[in-house]
Amino acid sequence: MSSPNYHEVLALASELKENERLKLILEISKTMNDVLINKKAKELCCPYCDRSRIVKNGKNKTTQRYLCKTCLKSFISVTNTPIYYSRKEINTWSEYVHLLFQGYSLRETIKIIPISLKTAFLWRHKILDALRDNLKTKELCGQIQADEIYFRESFKGNHSRDGFIMPRKPHRRGTPAKFRGISKMQVCVLTALDSKKSIIIEPSCMGRPGSSDLLRVLGSVIKKDSVLVTDSLFSYKTLSSYSKSKHVAIPTGSRRVGSYNIQRINNLHSKVKSFMRPYKGVSTKYLSNYMFLFKYIESKCEATPIFFRGTKPYFSTNFKGRPPIFS
């Protein structure tokens, strides 16, 4: 990336118009996808037993099939990925993913890509489900800052014609909350950030989190002998005892205790709020997925989510009927 040719390309790209720059990015993405497909074929393993004892097993038209010698199941290279069962080309998916990460709305997306609005919606949540399945943080270590961020409960996208019954009186988006402070009408999203910039950001409960909520989300990922820096919420003391880590509680009204503060996690919350603002309200049942989309972008992951593999195919169309997802 330090070669003269690279800097010359960057200089030329900066002179292009917005639509020309988008076309250039998409052409590069198509080339990169071809490279990724070839790489995936070389590193292929069975999606059912995760073994690499595989052989070619004929073709379905132009699609190469494989057979696992261990579990004797047949599969293709994209089995259980978001593009499994899709009849669209990979380049179309790549273009869609690029627009998704650029913050394009569904209606703006279908003006660029020839797909229906319903397909754009289904693709979005297939990709977000894949992110949620594959971006689980396994460990936090060093100095860990943890705090909560809250979102108003939302039933956006639920309709009575689908059998949905509103549990409260409807109100316009943006109206003041019925109760002051933190209440059960707000979704708590637990966030944690360690010294290696590993992030956990997952909805945990309605209202203030208790010790059981903190242990469920963070208890298994905090490494022993870490330093946990939080606000004065008492439940964090239970979490630190469980994880055998040092606990530093910042008193209410103070910004720091010695050299410890929670400024980095507060900055992360500001980024989350800015990230969510263009969506103009996200339904509570989809909030977990959008948190993982933020995590993917913030962590600057290089792997494309269209090849992320789950334990089952991402072909469910009942996204509207799902319950809220809490970790």
Side-chain angles (χ1 to χ4, degrees), residues 214-281:
L214 295 178
L215 292 175
R216 188 178 67 253
V217 179
L218 300 175
S220 62
V221 297
I222 296 179
K223 192 175 180 180
K224 183 180 177 182
D225 297 328
S226 298
V227 179
L228 182 63
V229 187
T230 70
D231 58 17
S232 57
L233 184 66
F234 184 79
S235 300
Y236 284 112
K237 187 174 182 179
T238 305
L239 174 64
S240 67
S241 299
Y242 177 84
S243 60
K244 297 180 180 180
S245 58
K246 177 183 176 182
H247 183 217
V248 179
I250 309 296
T252 303
S254 301
R255 294 187 177 182
R256 62 176 60 244
V257 170
S259 60
Y260 297 105
N261 61 67
I262 52 173
Q263 189 58 45
R264 289 193 300 128
I265 201 70
N266 289 337
N267 290 340
L268 184 70
H269 288 177
S270 297
K271 291 181 180 179
V272 173
K273 291 290 187 181
S274 299
F275 169 78
M276 294 296 290
R277 196 169 293 120
Y279 295 105
K280 299 179 181 179

Side-chain angles (χ1 to χ4, degrees), residues 31 47 102 119 137 152 189 209 229 246 249 255 272 279 287 290 307:
T31 304
Q102 292 298 314
T119 299
T137 300
R152 290 280 299 277
V189 178
V229 187
K246 177 183 176 182
R255 294 187 177 182
V272 173
Y279 295 105
L287 184 59
Y290 282 89
F307 294 124

Side-chain angles (χ1 to χ4, degrees), residues 288-314:
S288 179
N289 279 1
Y290 282 89
M291 293 298 98
F292 276 93
L293 174 59
F294 170 81
K295 180 178 179 178
Y296 178 91
I297 296 172
E298 183 68 16
S299 302
K300 299 179 180 178
C301 297
E302 295 181 357
T304 176
I306 61 177
F307 294 124
F308 283 179
R309 179 173 283 135
T311 56
K312 56 185 179 180
Y314 295 105

Side-chain angles (χ1 to χ4, degrees), residues 50-148:
D50 206 28
R51 301 292 181 87
S52 57
R53 292 185 62 229
I54 58 175
V55 294
K56 291 184 178 180
N57 191 34
K59 290 187 177 182
N60 180 10
K61 295 183 179 179
T62 59
T63 303
Q64 178 66 58
R65 297 198 63 85
Y66 301 91
L67 178 68
C68 176
K69 300 286 284 184
T70 303
C71 65
L72 301 180
K73 289 186 178 181
S74 180
F75 62 94
I76 61 176
S77 60
V78 295
T79 295
N80 292 357
T81 65
I83 59 177
Y84 191 36
Y85 288 130
S86 175
R87 297 183 180 181
K88 297 291 185 180
E89 295 182 355
I90 293 178
N91 292 336
T92 304
W93 276 88
S94 177
E95 186 177 357
Y96 179 89
V97 168
H98 172 75
L99 297 177
L100 172 64
F101 293 161
Q102 292 298 314
Y104 280 69
S105 69
L106 296 179
R107 285 180 171 79
E108 290 172 337
T109 300
I110 63 176
K111 291 179 181 178
I112 301 173
I113 303 177
I115 56 177
S116 68
L117 184 63
K118 181 178 180 180
T119 299
F121 173 83
L122 296 178
W123 281 17
R124 171 178 287 189
H125 287 285
K126 284 181 180 182
I127 292 169
L128 297 188
D129 276 355
L131 293 179
R132 179 165 47 81
D133 285 349
N134 287 270
L135 292 184
K136 297 289 186 180
T137 300
K138 296 181 179 179
E139 183 181 84
L140 295 175
C141 59
Q143 185 182 133
I144 304 167
Q145 296 185 13
D147 201 1
E148 320 91 53

Side-chain angles (χ1 to χ4, degrees), residues 159-173:
H159 301 281
S160 58
R161 63 174 178 267
D162 299 324
F164 176 75
I165 300 175
M166 192 72 170
R168 57 165 172 79
K169 290 184 178 180
H171 56 69
R172 288 185 178 273
R173 195 177 304 125

